[in-house]
Amino acid sequence: MQPQASKKKKPAKERQVLVCRGTGCESQKAKILFDNLEHELKMLGLDDDIEVKFTGCHGFCQQGPTVIVMPAGTFYCNVQPEDADEIVKIDIKDGGKVERLLFIDPKTKERVLSYKDMKFFSPQRRIVLKNCGFINPEDIDDYIAVGGYQGIQKALGGSRMDVINEIKKSGLRGRGGGGFPTGMKWEFCHNSPGDQKYLICNADEGDPGAFMDRAVLEGDPHAVLEGMMIAAYAIGASKAYIYCRAEYPMAYERSMIAIDQATKRGFLGKKIFGSDMDFEIKLKLGAGAFVCGEETALMASIEGKRGMPMPRPPFPAVKGLFGKPTNINNVETFGNIATIMTKGGDWFASVGTEKSKGTKVFALAGKISYSGLVEIPMGTPLREIIDEIGGGIPNKRKFKAAQTGGPSGGCIPSEHFDIPMDYENLTQVGSIMGSGGLIVTDETTCMVDMAKFFLGFTQKESCGKCVPCRLGTKKMLEVLGDISKGKATMEDLEQLLELAQDVKGGSLCGLGQTAPNPVLSTVRYFRDEYEAHILRKECPARVCVDLIKFEVNEENCQKCGLCFKACPAGAVSWEKKQTAKIDVSKCIKCRSCILACRFNAID
């Protein structure tokens, strides 16, 4: 049975207005903007020729809400609902451009017409995100129109091992963190005997600053379903779960809609696509525990138990969900599968590096001009991602480090700014790929404070089952707290490093084993900052408030009054052409003056 669009579906119109309605844009009145665009087109009698379509996230979240007018690809950013009539009249009706809503290139200062010419998009190579921002995620016909559900058709035409061998040939590695070869993982489950096998899509994305999986489920849920269908066929599973965070209501809702549509078309259920394969997918909401991103804890949660990890072996491929052989991959991994099946493993393997094939989706966040989602070929230099795609560090500040892999990862310092981003290189410098969070820091970031933040996160999220993680991370956090207050000694620093190794080696699951990584990584590259806190009682980045005097450095003060304007407590006094002064008795140490000052004049 070939997937076909509904007979009720009208042919797509050549001219379309694409409105991003991912979570970010939706929170900024994208729904009202969408309604206003439809209304204005109708008022001008243009609604028969031009379609207003809502889409998932286009990736450039920093500039949202965004609108793209096709086929020209005109990209409008920071669009408000009241801008709808101007877009319709000037662009749609008269063929002009709404200049004030066009993106301005930060280097050339010129307005850019098409998204294809924007440096945020042009270096990207999109496989997983190719449909995000262009199709309606709540319309199965839109997915079919761009070649959707062709991959499962091709898979069903061959043997299970044919599919596994194709995935092995592609070199795809799991995008959830560890980077284990996907085809090999499928083969383990395929070879495990069992009358019932399960497949799980891990959508429990919990890293601070990461939102890749959320965006894919919101923008292209049918691609994830199709990837799961192909995986299920390969391993011989008939039942599957998508384990989605409760904090992702839009991803959950659109996944539910996609499952319902696919079931009604016969793509899910009994004898899918007219084959002998039965396959059903259920959605399971997680309660937000970070540890449930770990495979065994996730399966326990699905079974209705408390989400806590279990020792391995046995591995899930042998004894997983409900004691049955189970394969688990994350959203991004499944998002690659259908394209690999349609274009072939060799095609996919031609992208990336020798050992890291394909592309990787990163969530750019932190001290960077343009945050958002980017998908780049494996091996792309970090400098290109930050300086070109991300627009560099704002306010003329310098790059200090990038944290990859979230709280389980490590930092990449400026000396490795040109590192090609792939699994092997990141491991070599003491970090990990993780799920794709990429948090950029500049010279105003304190690395002790950053390590404390990530360790605080994992300490709070520890399930408490094993002692090294439960108590070890707690003690480590206490030592970090003392360092940030200037109360620690060099012996404490050595104890911190010893504890880190004990927690790393003694914890039961990956959360505990990787929790010390931010500490180990920051001490490795920024030991001088730790020593400054301990020996000189100084925070070089002026972040740790217990070590800041909150005094105006008269030599550096430019008498501009920015600190005076920023202070919410009235602690700063200033007159034109006079040096500012801080009344420490009124100061609440909020750092507003430090953040406002461009001349490092607050000590």
Side-chain angles (χ1 to χ4, degrees), residues 204-255:
D204 194 47
E205 184 176 52
D207 290 359
F211 52 99
M212 300 77 59
D213 292 349
R214 188 200 74 200
V216 174
L217 282 178
E218 288 180 358
D220 198 10
H222 284 284
V224 179
L225 299 190
E226 187 178 4
M228 293 180 69
M229 293 174 192
I230 295 167
Y233 174 68
I235 67 173
S238 59
K239 295 182 179 179
Y241 287 87
I242 298 176
Y243 189 86
C244 183
R245 297 179 68 79
E247 296 92 330
Y248 287 179
M250 185 181 288
Y252 179 85
E253 183 181 346
R254 289 181 180 171
S255 298

Side-chain angles (χ1 to χ4, degrees), residues 25-324:
C25 289
E26 194 75 342
S27 67
Q28 298 183 70
K29 304 178 182 177
K31 170 69 167 60
I32 302 174
L33 170 63
F34 177 86
D35 292 341
N36 287 358
L37 285 165
E38 281 198 323
H39 174 75
E40 294 296 331
L41 283 173
K42 190 173 183 179
M43 292 294 289
L44 293 177
L46 298 172
D47 52 322
D48 285 339
D49 301 321
I50 299 162
E51 177 185 13
V52 182
K53 178 189 289 186
F54 83 79
T55 71
C57 180
H58 204 76
F60 206 177
C61 306
Q62 181 86 28
Q63 299 290 311
T66 60
V67 170
I68 299 179
V69 180
M70 300 295 283
T74 308
F75 188 91
Y76 293 120
C77 52
N78 298 309
V79 185
Q80 299 304 308
E82 53 270 26
D83 298 325
D85 63 334
E86 207 171 342
I87 292 174
V88 170
K89 290 173 182 173
I90 296 177
D91 187 314
I92 309 292
K93 178 174 175 289
D94 297 335
K97 303 298 176 190
V98 185
E99 295 280 335
R100 66 180 182 84
L101 296 178
L102 293 173
F103 178 74
I104 300 175
D105 186 289
K107 292 183 178 176
T108 65
K109 307 300 180 187
E110 294 180 354
R111 298 183 188 278
V112 185
L113 292 180
S114 171
Y115 73 92
K116 295 178 181 176
D117 298 323
M118 294 167 60
K119 290 181 179 176
F120 182 83
F121 292 109
S122 57
Q124 294 192 46
R125 184 161 184 179
R126 294 189 161 205
I127 296 175
V128 177
L129 301 179
K130 65 180 181 181
N131 295 328
C132 293
F134 293 99
I135 67 170
N136 180 342
E138 296 184 7
D139 188 345
I140 190 172
D141 290 327
D142 247 23
Y143 181 65
I144 292 173
V146 294
Y149 291 113
Q150 295 292 333
I152 178 63
Q153 289 285 103
K154 186 175 178 181
L156 290 171
S159 70
R160 300 185 194 281
M161 279 310 301
D162 286 342
V163 176
I164 291 172
N165 288 331
E166 200 65 38
I167 299 302
K168 289 171 75 174
K169 190 192 299 182
S170 75
L172 176 66
R173 296 165 65 170
R175 301 301 196 236
F180 193 82
T182 303
M184 189 181 297
K185 193 173 186 179
W186 289 11
E187 189 172 21
F188 288 153
C189 198
H190 170 271
N191 292 339
S192 288
D195 56 343
Q196 175 66 59
K197 294 180 182 179
Y198 288 97
L199 182 74
I200 297 174
C201 174
N202 186 350
D204 194 47
E205 184 176 52
D207 290 359
F211 52 99
M212 300 77 59
D213 292 349
R214 188 200 74 200
V216 174
L217 282 178
E218 288 180 358
D220 198 10
H222 284 284
V224 179
L225 299 190
E226 187 178 4
M228 293 180 69
M229 293 174 192
I230 295 167
Y233 174 68
I235 67 173
S238 59
K239 295 182 179 179
Y241 287 87
I242 298 176
Y243 189 86
C244 183
R245 297 179 68 79
E247 296 92 330
Y248 287 179
M250 185 181 288
Y252 179 85
E253 183 181 346
R254 289 181 180 171
S255 298
M256 183 66 82
I257 292 171
I259 290 172
D260 183 58
Q261 291 175 342
T263 302
K264 288 178 179 175
R265 291 291 177 92
F267 301 170
L268 289 173
K270 298 289 185 184
K271 300 184 181 302
I272 69 170
F273 293 94
S275 71
D276 293 330
M277 178 180 170
D278 297 341
F279 185 52
E280 65 176 41
I281 299 176
K282 293 182 179 179
L283 271 167
K284 171 72 177 178
L285 272 181
F290 182 66
V291 73
C292 285
E294 196 276 341
E295 291 184 344
T296 57
L298 186 156
M299 290 188 294
S301 178
I302 292 177
E303 292 173 353
K305 304 171 186 172
R306 181 179 172 184
M308 299 178 81
M310 296 288 291
R312 295 183 294 181
F315 291 96
V318 177
K319 186 179 180 182
L321 187 63
F322 302 116
K324 303 294 184 182

